[in-house]
Amino acid sequence: MSLPGMAPAAPGALDLLDRAVGYTRGCLAKVTPEVLDRPTPCAGWSLLDLLVHMDDSLAALGQAAESSTLTPAPEPEPADAGALLVSIRQRACTLVGQWMPPGEPMVRLGRFDLARETLGGVGALEITLHGWDVATTLGLDRPIPPALAMDLWPLARDHITDADRPGRFALPPGVPPWASPATLLLAHAGRRGGAA
């Protein structure tokens, strides 16, 4: 709660993760093994490639929720489609519960210490973007909710930089400044979509 005249506090990582997972679970609900070879908005990735990446990311976030040290995961084995979908849904469902107890404020990744709040917020950004990728791949009308897009914008602005392009993110397509929050967020992440 904020006093009159004060800007409201930015949502914390737990809130962002809860909303990101809720949005993305709805997108994942329509995935079936028959569509896993479809191309996604992530250049060169099939839906199966994207889901393997999502499973790995959710596993890492789950580890960060319960530990002060994050160890890089080994390369994932080729996934059975049915088991992969079950794993992603289970990890997404349990992530928010894992994040709830206040953990260590910092998480060590190799030689670097990351603020746990920042890691959770960036995780929420990634979960949301990939949820949109899944929905778009399947032709679903599931835009990112405007309030979630606005709350994720500062994280996208601060953590998707020119150094990430064109390797991790494509160049941003041109969109008008009056475009919807989701369109602006997606454009910054190198994706074209949303309603203007």
Side-chain angles (χ1 to χ4, degrees):
M1 183 165 145
S2 60
L3 297 173
M6 292 181 62
L14 177 60
D15 176 58
L16 290 173
L17 283 167
D18 187 35
R19 292 157 62 199
V21 165
Y23 166 73
T24 299
R25 282 179 61 200
C27 301
L28 289 167
K30 300 294 185 181
V31 175
T32 63
E34 294 75 30
V35 298
L36 295 179
D37 60 344
R38 289 189 185 179
T40 70
C42 304
W45 281 20
S46 69
L47 183 54
L48 178 61
D49 297 329
L50 176 61
L51 293 175
V52 169
H53 170 72
M54 289 175 71
D55 191 53
D56 185 50
S57 295
L58 287 165
L61 283 168
Q63 182 187 357
E66 298 181 332
S67 172
S68 59
T69 304
L70 188 58
T71 54
E75 279 295 311
E77 295 292 323
D80 167 77
L84 178 61
L85 289 169
V86 168
S87 176
I88 290 173
R89 289 171 180 143
Q90 286 178 342
R91 290 189 203 280
C93 287
T94 58
L95 178 61
V96 174
Q98 288 175 303
W99 209 272
M100 275 180 140
E104 294 292 327
M106 304 299 288
V107 176
R108 178 164 285 274
L109 176 58
R111 297 178 296 122
F112 301 100
D113 288 321
L114 304 171
R116 193 167 179 272
E117 272 292 296
T118 300
L119 182 62
V122 170
L125 173 63
E126 180 176 11
I127 290 167
T128 301
L129 290 173
H130 288 327
W132 181 86
D133 292 333
V134 170
T136 300
T137 300
L138 299 178
L140 303 177
D141 183 20
R142 285 192 58 86
I144 298 171
L148 178 58
M150 285 190 289
D151 288 339
L152 291 173
W153 171 251
L155 289 155
R157 179 196 61 215
D158 294 345
H159 296 283
I160 300 175
T161 68
D162 289 342
D164 295 311
R165 306 180 199 279
R168 295 180 61 230
F169 295 90
L171 293 173
V175 294
W178 59 84
S180 71
T183 299
L184 294 170
L185 178 71
L186 290 165
H188 188 73
R191 293 155 167 88
R192 185 180 299 279

